[in-house]
Amino acid sequence: MEATRATEICSNPTENGMGAGHRGTGADTALLPMYVDQLTRMHLVRSEEALGRGFGREELIREVGETWFVDPRYGEGFYWLHAIADGAIVASMDMTLDRRVEAVIDTVPHLVFGIYEHAMPLYCSPKFARSRCEVMGNDWRGGPWGSSFEADMRFSSTSIALGPATARRYANILGLDFEGLREAVANLTGACGMGGLLPALRALDTARPIAAVAGAYYPAKVVECLALLVSGAHDSSRTAGAARLSDRDCVEGTCRHIDADLSADLSTKTLCGIAHVSEAKLISAFRNIKGDTPQGYIRKQRLEHGRRMLLAQDMGIGDIAQAMGYRNQGAFSEAFKRAYGMTPRAYRKASAAPPAG
């Protein structure tokens, strides 16, 4: 039996489609109530009520938007959403339910795309059931929609939703044809070839702009993400020369993930899940672009950053080893000596010594 199930009950492109002209404005204003309806049916409550009832975490509440928390009788986790303009919403969620929750809501036409992790790919589409992380998009035509969240599964996502009129405005800002933007969102799958789209979307989850600047920050991020999405879709449609560019995009995106936290799990398997490519493809791309394997690149980065930290003199060698992802100080010392011809301790001592003469 599938872990999650999402079934579209009724969708009529002719009546509900985004090409509905003046009806788009109504769909845009109905987008936020649609979110609120779904959250309520999934047994989440706004932060004010949650804190008043003794659950929820204050550190997860942002200065802008709404933060909702799962009723502890049904599970744990949060959902944050922010209406950045009439008909545009950015959202981030991470929750686990203790029991199966089903909901049927009336949806409105909208474009939506984002990062869908853990069990979310299956919830969104069984096609991606085995994916650890997917960047996906959907041209949602509206209509009643029935869905179920299964118990004891983690659901996580960061997304952008645009009502029809709002999507057209963003297309105009970018100088794009609306139908081209709509097609790019609808066909979005995977991360490789999308350039910086993955980290740009992640920033919507990790960034915490203050209220004074949020009004400028979030619309700018939507423009950035749409520009990267359309650019990636354009690159993916090129010929053999574009394949080489996709290699570069994959490697650069993977390297940004590596460099962001050298102490993290950076196994090739993990990196393949992040880049959405096979091991053979990732290794081949790294050799084409970096002249090295992914693990070779990681070793060099860890040792080079470790060398710089040794010069600072304010961290113990064991702490440096841990920060660089080595299992212990001995493993770091052995790798360092192979690379630089001396142990970390000897290197630190030699670097601290005054020049001779």
Side-chain angles (χ1 to χ4, degrees), residues 73-94:
R73 293 174 296 179
Y74 294 87
E76 62 179 0
F78 75 93
Y79 197 114
W80 170 81
L81 71 158
H82 177 45
I84 62 175
D86 181 20
I89 291 176
V90 293
S92 174
M93 57 94 81
D94 192 345

Side-chain angles (χ1 to χ4, degrees), residues 111-113 136-138 181-188 226 229:
L111 295 176
V112 60
F113 68 100
M136 296 187 292
N138 191 11
L181 174 63
R182 180 180 180 179
E183 182 179 357
V185 172
N187 293 333
L188 176 62
L226 288 171
L229 187 160

Side-chain angles (χ1 to χ4, degrees), residues 314-345:
D314 58 352
M315 282 186 69
I317 295 175
D319 293 333
I320 294 175
Q322 183 177 7
M324 292 301 100
Y326 286 90
R327 64 182 182 275
N328 54 49
Q329 181 175 331
F332 173 61
S333 296
E334 290 177 8
F336 192 92
K337 186 174 181 179
R338 285 196 300 270
Y340 298 105
M342 63 179 72
T343 64
R345 194 175 304 279

Side-chain angles (χ1 to χ4, degrees), residues 5-53:
R5 182 173 71 252
T7 304
E8 184 178 346
I9 299 175
C10 174
S11 179
N12 188 325
T14 301
E15 295 181 1
N16 298 317
M18 296 190 70
H22 67 277
R23 283 195 298 250
T25 301
D28 286 10
T29 57
L31 194 56
L32 181 58
M34 181 191 75
Y35 272 77
V36 171
D37 181 36
Q38 183 176 33
L39 293 176
T40 302
R41 293 175 184 272
M42 290 168 54
H43 306 287
L44 283 86
V45 298
R46 286 187 171 91
S47 57
E48 297 87 348
E49 180 183 348
L51 295 177
R53 290 168 52 185

Side-chain angles (χ1 to χ4, degrees), residues 147-207:
S147 62
S148 65
F149 286 83
E150 295 294 324
D152 301 321
M153 300 192 74
R154 183 178 178 186
F155 301 94
S156 177
S157 67
T158 301
S159 61
I160 297 173
L162 306 171
T166 303
R168 292 181 183 277
R169 288 198 297 271
Y170 277 108
N172 289 335
I173 290 172
L174 291 165
L176 300 172
D177 173 72
F178 169 71
E179 291 302 325
L181 174 63
R182 180 180 180 179
E183 182 179 357
V185 172
N187 293 333
L188 176 62
T189 57
C192 195
M194 290 294 110
L197 179 59
L198 186 62
L201 285 167
R202 288 202 184 282
L204 289 171
D205 179 46
T206 57

